[in-house]
Amino acid sequence: IMEEHGQDSNLSFHLEWHPKEAETTEEMNTKDLVNLFRKDVNTIKDEDIRRLVNHFRSKIDRAEEDNDLVGSYFQVISDVLDYRNWFQFKLFYRKDGSDIKELTNKIFSVFSGGEKAKTMYVPLFASVYAKLDAARNSAPRLIAMDEAFAGVDDQNIEEMFGILNSFNLDYLLTSQILWC
């Protein structure tokens, strides 16, 4: 989605989303874990349940032992069960027709204000679009943003509105100089 909408732009993006590998012998890799969750409940074996219990017990034990851990046991469980932590996300970019490269903090820091905004907003718009595209036809296709496009030049603002419109999203945006 992001590559398709970046064809007419000097800056386009590509996102890779990979399942994480197991970190210990007691844990399962994300691909196996997701496949197990997708099984029909009537086909799950005792071995499958044992693997699940061992996996989550190991994750919880490691989280509790982590010196940087701040929060309650509820937060530990919430973090371990949050499927977004089961994957690794990498954002790539292509600028001015060059080869595609991984977007790092160092590269992001030298982008202009408009490029930084596109780096944040294009993946956001694409993810909202992807989520809503899977929703019922009657579901609202709305995105609301405060201080949208602050510090972004008119050309980049126009391009981002074009992206919002191409995704067929309704929007409510506010900023110091813009409202719609």
Side-chain angles (χ1 to χ4, degrees), residues 18-37 51-52 54-56 59 85-87:
H18 299 283
K20 288 185 179 177
E21 294 297 319
E23 296 179 52
T24 69
T25 56
E26 294 83 24
E27 295 174 12
M28 302 168 62
N29 64 47
T30 298
K31 187 175 181 179
D32 291 341
L33 184 62
V34 170
N35 286 338
L36 188 54
F37 280 130
R51 288 176 61 209
L52 275 174
N54 288 342
H55 170 81
F56 286 111
K59 288 279 196 188
N85 296 327
W86 303 355
F87 296 89

Side-chain angles (χ1 to χ4, degrees), residues 2-62:
M2 290 187 296
E3 288 177 55
E4 185 179 298
H5 284 81
Q7 291 173 351
D8 297 330
S9 175
N10 67 331
L11 183 62
S12 61
F13 302 97
H14 169 79
L15 180 70
E16 289 185 4
W17 192 36
H18 299 283
K20 288 185 179 177
E21 294 297 319
E23 296 179 52
T24 69
T25 56
E26 294 83 24
E27 295 174 12
M28 302 168 62
N29 64 47
T30 298
K31 187 175 181 179
D32 291 341
L33 184 62
V34 170
N35 286 338
L36 188 54
F37 280 130
R38 288 185 171 158
K39 276 185 165 184
D40 182 307
V41 70
N42 296 319
T43 65
I44 294 179
K45 300 175 181 156
D46 288 341
E47 173 63 18
D48 296 330
I49 295 170
R50 185 190 61 75
R51 288 176 61 209
L52 275 174
V53 168
N54 288 342
H55 170 81
F56 286 111
R57 183 174 290 144
S58 173
K59 288 279 196 188
I60 292 167
D61 288 346
R62 283 191 316 108

Side-chain angles (χ1 to χ4, degrees), residues 55-146:
H55 170 81
F56 286 111
R57 183 174 290 144
S58 173
K59 288 279 196 188
I60 292 167
D61 288 346
R62 283 191 316 108
E64 287 180 317
E65 292 170 3
D66 187 354
N67 292 337
D68 297 331
L69 180 65
V70 177
S72 66
Y73 188 70
F74 174 80
Q75 187 61 49
V76 170
I77 297 296
S78 179
D79 290 344
V80 167
L81 295 178
D82 187 343
Y83 75 92
R84 295 171 298 182
N85 296 327
W86 303 355
F87 296 89
Q88 178 180 5
F89 302 90
K90 287 189 178 182
L91 185 61
F92 295 85
Y93 76 100
R94 178 179 314 219
K95 187 172 179 182
D96 298 323
S98 66
D99 291 337
I100 193 164
K101 299 173 189 162
E102 184 175 357
L103 182 62
T104 62
N105 287 336
K106 183 177 179 180
I107 293 167
F108 180 79
S109 69
V110 298
F111 278 178
S112 70
E115 290 170 334
K116 286 179 180 177
K118 280 200 278 190
T119 301
M120 293 181 290
Y121 289 137
V122 170
L124 171 68
F125 297 160
S127 63
V128 169
Y129 170 79
K131 184 69 175 171
L132 295 175
D133 195 47
R136 294 185 322 252
N137 289 338
S138 62
R141 300 178 59 80
L142 179 66
I143 186 168
M145 298 170 58
D146 185 27

